[in-house]
Amino acid sequence: MVSALGGTIVARASGAGHSARAIVRLSGPDALAALGALLGDAVAPSSRGVHAVRMRVGVCGVPCACPALALVMPGPRSFTGEDCVELLFPGNPRLVDAVIEALLAVPGVTAAAPGAFMARAHATGRIALADAERVALEIGATHARELEAARHVCDNPLVHAAHGASSEIAALLARVEAGIDFTDSEDVVAVPREHLRERLGSIAGEIERWIAGSVPIESMRPLPLVALRGAPNAGKSSLFNALLGRRRAVASPAAGTTRDAIAEEIELRLVPAVGGQPGIRAILMDTPGVEDPRSAIDALMQEQARTADRADVIVRCEPLAAIVAAALHGAREGGAGADGRDQHGHSAHAHAARVIRVATRSDEVPCEARRVPEGMVCTSAVTGEGVESLASEIAAAITLGDAGTGSSHRVAVVARHRQAMVLAAEWLARCREAAGDGPGPGIDCPELVADALRGALDALGEVTGEVTPDDVLGLVFSRFCIGK
């Protein structure tokens, strides 16, 4: 991380390559002097505003007088809180390099590291850390859901929960420390152990609830994932092709034809359509079915199939003939056991994914012999039976679960905020342990309790922005590009 409020820094603030215009940014105590050095004998402007200037630089060893616009912003009324200059001129890469090289030759001017300008704005109080983090996430967003989550990073429920927990912990800490400092004073009543343990348990429970209900923004997928799961020869590949509307996966009566996971983008529609609602885009994945891995290749196939456990929607396929045969023999209906795992030991409900049970290959069973368990969708890739209904049910599951965030109904938060909340919960657990559970109202180790409460406050302070260690600052600002 750059040292905030050090010397003067310079960097290109526009995109690389050729462009109609380029921007070079300066910030620091020598920014105006550096501008003067670039203008030669001309008087450098020092008043706030936009000034037409002529820069004198050497391009490929040839002296050049280049017209430019200089945006002069004296501190502290600038983005960084320091004297700032932005130069706008033709965006030839060689000219940009020549301008930056000439500025770096000025004593006290150094090249800016990633996030240097934003870090200085934070150090001078011009921007809060949470706002800087929001900007970084908006810059790095790759899809609409990620961008929307980035815009709300400063006011999401996890941050509000951290503020509330901090207030309660600070009040408890004040009472614990009062009991330590004024143990002989009759008018000072230390917090009773049972009350302390009760409040700590309540706060920790609230924190853990928010941790469980959140997902890091960095882990969000651009599209929800729908995985077809099932035993070998369950009709997954045929159903995959039917849902896509074209032949993409090789389908064969021979078990084990699918040796690799295949994924394709698909557009699903609710039936009936709601008010001309556009189709829901998703990634549809066909996975290999391996019942008993007997070779290294089979083991790899089974491991690939397990990756589908991270899907937002799991379509569990089972041939209708097998369902009918099992029913006739009095076997348990369905493929998932009481422990939530299927017959291959894979999780049937990974991270609370929505599971749709499908009876495949219905064309192989006469209508009068069919016994379809309630809640199952009956499909045939040959006749097309149930394919449209299944697509609609998948779309409904995605819409209902708000899939694509990696989990249903979860709040997207900054990963380090989530980690800080986890650390706060760990400190609170240590605090409860130090308070003891013996007879009497007194706390066993009040000094250790106070230390653990301070640790929890420090961890929550990383979320609220009240406590920001240098290594956290470095992590935040290093994600910016140079020139920001």
Side-chain angles (χ1 to χ4, degrees):
M1 173 189 165
V2 299
S3 138
L5 301 178
T8 299
I9 53 176
V10 61
R12 178 172 183 158
S14 53
H18 289 270
S19 60
R21 297 289 183 270
I23 300 174
V24 168
R25 180 175 294 153
L26 284 152
S27 178
D30 299 318
L32 298 179
L35 173 62
L38 201 63
L39 303 184
D41 296 333
V43 178
S46 58
S47 59
R48 177 177 300 274
V50 181
H51 306 271
V53 298
R54 188 169 291 272
M55 304 182 299
R56 302 185 181 279
V57 293
V59 181
C60 299
V62 178
C64 173
C66 175
L69 292 177
L71 283 69
V72 178
M73 296 162 280
R77 292 174 54 206
S78 68
F79 177 75
T80 63
E82 306 174 307
D83 289 345
C84 285
V85 175
E86 288 188 357
L87 294 169
L88 184 68
F89 54 92
N92 183 293
R94 291 188 177 180
L95 178 59
V96 174
D97 291 343
V99 170
I100 293 176
E101 185 178 349
L103 291 170
L104 289 174
V106 178
V109 178
T110 58
F117 294 96
M118 192 69 72
R120 293 190 173 206
H122 171 66
T124 57
R126 299 291 292 176
I127 187 171
L129 182 62
D131 290 320
E133 211 153 25
R134 172 184 54 78
V135 173
L137 289 168
E138 287 180 347
I139 292 173
T142 58
H143 52 87
R145 266 187 298 273
E146 205 171 66
L147 179 60
E148 182 65 19
R151 287 172 178 167
H152 295 288
V153 73
C154 299
D155 59 355
N156 68 59
L158 191 77
V159 175
H160 294 306
H163 278 287
S166 293
S167 299
E168 288 202 59
I169 292 172
L172 289 174
L173 177 59
R175 294 186 63 182
V176 170
E177 290 184 334
I180 296 173
D181 296 337
F182 304 101
T183 184
D184 297 329
S185 301
E186 295 181 0
D187 56 340
V188 175
V189 180
V191 58
R193 178 190 352 209
E194 284 308 313
H195 176 74
L196 175 64
R197 289 179 61 86
E198 179 186 347
R199 293 309 308 143
L200 290 175
S202 175
I203 297 169
E206 186 73 6
I207 289 175
E208 288 166 3
R209 185 172 70 84
W210 281 112
I211 293 171
S214 66
V215 61
I217 291 176
E218 295 84 349
S219 70
M220 294 175 68
R221 285 190 296 269
L223 291 176
L225 178 62
V226 179
L228 303 180
R229 299 295 307 273
N233 209 21
K236 300 185 298 297
S237 297
S238 298
L239 186 58
F240 179 81
N241 291 334
L243 286 168
L244 281 179
R246 59 187 173 86
R247 183 181 174 84
R248 171 63 176 86
V250 176
S252 167
T257 301
T258 302
R259 312 287 289 179
D260 204 353
I262 301 173
E264 286 285 332
E265 186 174 324
I266 187 173
E267 186 171 335
L268 304 160
R269 294 188 180 275
L270 290 167
V271 178
V274 181
Q277 181 180 5
I280 297 171
R281 294 168 57 233
I283 300 297
L284 183 66
M285 176 184 286
D286 180 23
T287 61
V290 180
E291 191 166 354
D292 182 19
R294 299 179 181 178
S295 67
I297 292 179
D298 286 346
L300 288 173
M301 289 165 56
Q302 192 175 66
E303 188 61 33
Q304 271 209 336
R306 281 199 181 105
T307 63
D309 283 341
R310 296 192 296 270
D312 300 283
V313 178
I314 293 177
V315 178
R316 190 161 298 285
C317 303
E318 189 172 353
L320 181 57
I323 295 172
V324 171
L328 289 174
H329 288 84
R332 171 178 56 84
E333 291 182 352
D339 63 349
R341 293 188 173 271
D342 63 15
Q343 61 266 42
H344 314 307
H346 301 164
S347 172
H349 306 286
H351 70 60
R354 296 187 174 273
V355 179
I356 300 174
R357 297 176 60 204
V358 177
T360 57
R361 296 164 49 183
S362 64
D363 56 285
E364 299 176 0
V365 180
C367 293
E368 62 274 10
R370 294 182 181 181
R371 298 186 181 182
V372 182
E374 185 178 355
M376 278 191 109
V377 183
C378 197
T379 64
S380 169
V382 175
T383 65
E385 177 190 355
V387 174
E388 187 176 351
S389 297
L390 175 59
S392 176
E393 189 160 338
I394 295 172
I398 292 173
T399 304
L400 181 63
D402 192 23
T405 61
S407 184
S408 301
H409 306 297
R410 289 193 171 188
V411 178
V413 300
V414 180
R416 75 169 186 88
H417 287 182
R418 198 166 184 270
Q419 292 165 359
M421 293 289 268
V422 170
L423 181 59
E426 292 175 356
W427 276 114
L428 292 178
R430 294 182 198 177
C431 187
R432 281 171 59 87
E433 184 179 348
D437 54 3
I443 299 172
D444 287 356
C445 304
E447 291 83 3
L448 293 180
V449 168
D451 182 66
L453 288 173
R454 291 189 202 98
L457 277 177
D458 288 346
L460 292 173
E462 292 189 26
V463 182
T464 62
E466 296 166 5
V467 178
T468 312
D470 288 343
D471 55 344
V472 173
L473 287 174
L475 176 65
V476 170
F477 293 111
S478 64
R479 291 184 296 176
F480 285 90
C481 55
I482 294 175
K484 292 292 186 293

